[in-house]
Amino acid sequence: MKRLFWLGVGVVTGVVLSRKATETARQATPAGLASNLGDAVRELAGAVGSFGAEVRAGMNEREQELHDMVEERTAPAVPPSGSGRHAAARPVRRARRAEG
């Protein structure tokens, strides 16, 4: 019974090592290397694209904060009585560029 057990362990080990060796040999071929390189480039391109999208979103958010801050500080003060030559004047808002 012991011999049969060790024979089974040996067969399983041989199959596993054989498959590992075959996979390693396939990855060492030019086609395997090109496949690995292509996967790496696709992953890098995806990471760069998502980083760029996050940067643009942050820039747009900060631009809006700054725009609101500038409008708050430069808005003309309305006289308490509502009279005066410029009482009806409203601050001029510049048209925002289309985001995209």
Side-chain angles (χ1 to χ4, degrees), residues 43-64:
E43 185 178 335
L44 178 64
V48 168
S50 66
F51 175 74
E54 289 177 17
V55 167
R56 283 189 300 276
M59 286 173 39
N60 289 336
E61 182 179 332
R62 182 64 177 151
E63 181 182 2
Q64 183 62 43

Side-chain angles (χ1 to χ4, degrees), residues 23-100:
E23 180 63 24
T24 303
R26 188 198 65 78
Q27 287 180 353
T29 63
L33 292 174
S35 173
N36 290 342
L37 181 62
D39 292 343
V41 168
R42 275 190 292 280
E43 185 178 335
L44 178 64
V48 168
S50 66
F51 175 74
E54 289 177 17
V55 167
R56 283 189 300 276
M59 286 173 39
N60 289 336
E61 182 179 332
R62 182 64 177 151
E63 181 182 2
Q64 183 62 43
E65 289 174 4
L66 292 173
H67 184 266
D68 293 343
M69 190 184 309
V70 167
E71 280 206 5
E72 180 181 301
R73 290 183 181 178
T74 59
V78 178
S81 65
S83 62
R85 202 169 97 188
H86 299 290
R90 286 191 255 154
V92 177
R93 296 183 110 186
R94 292 189 304 161
R96 289 198 53 154
R97 292 180 290 149
E99 295 180 11

Side-chain angles (χ1 to χ4, degrees), residues 5-18:
F5 171 76
W6 288 113
L7 177 66
V9 169
V11 169
V12 169
T13 304
V15 168
V16 169
L17 290 177
S18 174

